[in-house]
Amino acid sequence: MRRSSWLTLGMAAMLGGVLAGCSERPTEMAAVPNADRVRQAGDTITPRLVRQLAKSRNITAYPRPPYVRPALARLGRELAFDKILSGNHDVSCMTCHLPRYATGDGRSLSIGSGGQGLGPNRTQPDGINIPRNAPPLFNLGAMRHLFWDGRVEVDGHGHFTTPAGAQLTKAMTKVLEFGPVSAQPMFPPTSAAEMRGTSGSELAGFTDNDATQIWAALMRRLGRIPRYRRMFEEAYPGKRFDDMNFAYASNAIGGFIVSEMTFRNTPWDRFLDGDDRALSQRQLDGAATFLTLKCSLCHNGNNFSDDQFHNVAVAQIGPGKGNGGSGLDDFGRMNVTGDPADQYRFRTSPLRNVELTGPYGHDGSIVDLRDFIDHYSNSDQKLMDYNPAQLIAPLRNTVLDNMAAVIAARDTIILGVVLTPEIEDKLMDYMSALTDPAARNLSRLTPRRVPSGLPIDK
Ligand code: HEC
Ligand code: HEC
């Protein structure tokens, strides 16, 4: 980390100290364009320079996703859209990861079980009951950590760490073919707030921690639907439905996500694959800006995420994760590791299709993409001046006054970052190069019917 910080400071300064706070100017800047040219003149930014910068930040094109058996992806799709996995048959995975909202819900914070309506119009008698923003499901095959706090995690040896502890047995993990994204679907159905509900079904009597019993009950439900039995046995040739556990369902949803929600036909990926004309001059210029600013210290690798946890001074809104004196705070990664050094840290967000996936941040407290970029400029001040008028009415008076504590723990990487409107324009141009046109309309993902016959949210 130390070494790459150095690199950035060096490089930003070489390109003319585009960031205030990068006052050190190495002497070896001879052959590199000066600040004004970087700011104004597209002519100095060549494809070659941008490819070099990308390489120096280890930013690579997105790899081809693994092969997913069509029968497995089909099963995963039906399960993802089927409300049969919720206690009261009222919520499916896709209720919060709607094709219409780029696999999010277009809300700062989601509403789960017991909700009415979809997307921004969704309401629930008890109000907003989920403390975090529903992230998009794009390109998750690349991530080692899932969830904003990374609580579903696989290490280099294929060892899973999840909230279920030993309840996720060996017999289950050996079924999970696509890493964390195959394990993650085990969890929403166990959560009373998201899918299980607190009354009205055979699942209501459990607590969120009774994963083993909840998973078994869900398999009993699925086993009563002949079409599911058939689809499971087609997806896992040679295995009888009665010998399967819920990991087989979870893995199928993971396979669906990997096969249908991997997007790599962006102008940026085509550029990295060798097409000099894939980016407009403005996007090329924007790329050079992103790659020389500190952004790419955290947003790097093939999915624009270091898969690590940082505190970038995002305001806290909504019901929170039960942390702090008020219970309304969200300590992020610290809730997983118990390490106070992880307080307020969240996983670096991947950025492909980011134009389409607002609101932004772990709690969706920043609604517009440009505002999220702008918040990196003097971020401490931006946090203190946070404007709740951008939020829907029920959230406006929920801004938590934890700002001094967040700033005290804020990642020093973003200290002193100042972005001019021109630089923000360029960053926006670059963000537009990260969109795969095929992600703009995802209606093709929605099945016409699901085996339970329940209505479909899309
Ligand atoms: C009530 C809304 C809701 C429902 C229903 C729901 N999710 Fe989510 N999903 C969320 C929220 C909110 C998060 C972020 C939670 C967190 O990080 O603590 C999330 C996170 C995820 C992630 C992690 C993404 C990442 O970038 O780390 C995946 C994958 C996912 N959900 C898939 C599913 C699947 C599969 C189902 C059904 C089994 C499901 N979700 C049901 C709201 C929902
Ligand atoms: C210190 C590491 C770090 C740096 C530097 C950084 N980011 Fe981030 N970025 C993050 C983290 C962590 C999040 C999620 C924060 C949260 O939700 O609390 C994030 C979130 C985002 C998001 C919102 C994505 C979403 O889906 O919600 C955007 C857009 C973004 N960053 C762009 C940038 C740009 C542009 C820069 C450079 C000006 C930058 N980032 C610099 C770590 C970083």
Side-chain angles (χ1 to χ4, degrees):
M1 199 65 226
R2 181 151 294 277
R3 203 174 144 254
S4 63
S5 315
W6 228 108
L7 216 92
T8 319
L9 289 176
M11 246 191 254
M14 284 197 301
L15 281 163
V18 224
L19 287 179
C22 296
S23 48
E24 303 138 80
R25 299 218 171 191
T27 45
E28 71 279 18
M29 42 188 291
V32 185
N34 67 33
D36 291 340
R37 303 200 85 197
V38 169
R39 286 206 192 93
Q40 291 163 13
D43 62 351
T44 59
I45 306 293
T46 62
R48 186 155 169 265
L49 173 64
V50 171
R51 287 206 180 88
Q52 275 169 359
L53 289 170
K55 197 166 172 201
S56 73
R57 288 302 167 79
N58 190 30
I59 294 184
T60 51
Y62 197 83
R64 199 169 284 284
Y67 173 74
V68 180
R69 299 183 297 287
L72 186 69
R74 258 196 316 274
L75 170 63
R77 176 166 86 141
E78 314 273 289
L79 290 167
F81 280 92
D82 200 334
K83 296 183 177 177
I84 191 81
L85 295 184
S86 62
N88 296 315
H89 296 174
D90 62 344
V91 181
S92 76
C93 302
M94 303 314 264
T95 303
C96 301
H97 298 284
L98 293 159
R100 206 190 321 170
Y101 289 98
T103 69
D105 54 8
R107 305 176 53 84
S108 296
L109 298 173
S110 297
I111 289 179
S113 186
Q116 294 283 325
L118 290 178
N121 299 323
R122 190 166 169 81
T123 56
Q124 207 245 37
D126 299 337
I128 289 167
N129 71 341
I130 307 288
R132 291 197 180 143
N133 172 265
L137 304 183
F138 300 137
N139 297 24
L140 294 182
M143 305 305 294
R144 280 200 305 116
H145 297 95
L146 291 180
F147 288 124
W148 289 101
D149 52 19
R151 65 190 181 273
V152 168
E153 171 177 0
V154 178
D155 68 15
H157 309 288
H159 179 77
F160 284 82
T161 308
T162 76
Q167 294 187 75
L168 192 74
T169 61
K170 262 227 158 66
M172 290 174 174
T173 54
K174 77 173 208 278
V175 177
L176 307 175
E177 296 171 67
F178 310 104
V181 70
S182 279
Q184 193 282 342
M186 305 290 288
F187 297 97
T190 64
S191 158
E194 286 197 4
M195 296 183 79
R196 200 163 51 77
T198 48
S199 63
S201 87
E202 86 280 18
L203 304 178
F206 298 117
T207 73
D208 286 6
N209 296 326
D210 295 328
T212 307
Q213 290 102 306
I214 297 166
W215 292 331
L218 286 169
M219 286 309 275
R220 282 195 294 277
R221 274 191 184 190
L222 294 172
R224 284 195 288 269
I225 302 174
R227 192 163 130 83
Y228 268 130
R229 288 185 163 263
R230 220 169 35 243
M231 290 189 79
F232 272 90
E233 291 178 356
E234 278 163 18
Y236 298 98
K239 189 92 188 168
R240 290 175 50 236
F241 179 86
D242 291 322
D243 295 331
M244 296 188 201
N245 56 53
F246 193 68
Y248 289 79
S250 182
N251 178 59
I253 299 176
F256 165 61
I257 292 174
V258 166
S259 78
E260 299 301 322
M261 301 186 201
T262 298
F263 287 94
R264 55 200 285 278
N265 185 23
T266 72
W268 174 247
D269 291 273
R270 278 184 274 124
F271 171 79
L272 287 185
D273 282 344
D275 179 355
D276 278 1
R277 304 221 290 215
L279 299 183
S280 68
Q281 189 61 50
R282 292 181 61 96
Q283 288 172 329
L284 200 62
D285 211 5
T289 307
F290 182 87
L291 294 167
T292 46
L293 293 184
K294 294 176 175 181
C295 311
S296 49
L297 276 184
C298 302
H299 296 280
N300 54 37
N302 63 29
N303 207 22
F304 293 95
S305 171
D306 57 7
D307 228 318
Q308 296 300 313
F309 302 86
H310 302 276
N311 168 357
V312 294
V314 172
Q316 185 59 41
I317 59 168
K321 290 287 275 185
N323 298 140
S326 62
L328 298 171
D329 211 343
D330 184 344
F331 289 171
R333 184 67 176 160
M334 180 180 161
N335 286 330
V336 178
T337 63
D339 182 351
D342 286 331
Q343 192 179 17
Y344 300 122
R345 289 187 183 175
F346 296 88
R347 190 194 65 191
T348 304
S349 307
L351 296 177
R352 271 192 195 70
N353 299 329
V354 70
E355 282 190 288
L356 311 176
T357 61
Y360 300 98
H362 66 272
D363 56 355
S365 60
I366 300 181
V367 173
D368 288 327
L369 182 55
R370 187 169 180 123
D371 290 341
F372 202 99
I373 290 175
D374 181 57
H375 113 279
Y376 283 106
S377 183
N378 279 320
S379 48
D380 296 358
Q381 194 60 43
K382 287 275 161 44
L383 174 59
M384 288 186 293
D385 295 344
Y386 174 73
N387 181 6
Q390 65 193 296
L391 302 172
I392 58 171
L395 286 172
R396 275 182 216 145
N397 62 359
T398 69
V399 181
L400 187 68
D401 183 10
N402 65 353
M403 288 151 185
V406 171
I407 290 170
R410 187 244 315 108
D411 207 305
T412 52
I413 298 177
I414 61 169
L415 181 65
V417 170
V418 177
L419 305 171
T420 64
E422 280 170 298
I423 293 175
E424 293 180 4
D425 286 345
K426 289 181 196 224
L427 291 171
M428 287 297 285
D429 287 334
Y430 183 54
M431 296 295 119
S432 76
L434 304 182
T435 305
D436 183 330
R440 290 189 184 275
N441 182 344
L442 298 175
S443 57
R444 67 183 174 281
L445 297 180
T446 312
R448 242 180 308 160
R449 63 182 296 276
V450 288
S452 67
L454 291 164
I456 295 175
D457 292 340
K458 52 193 177 190

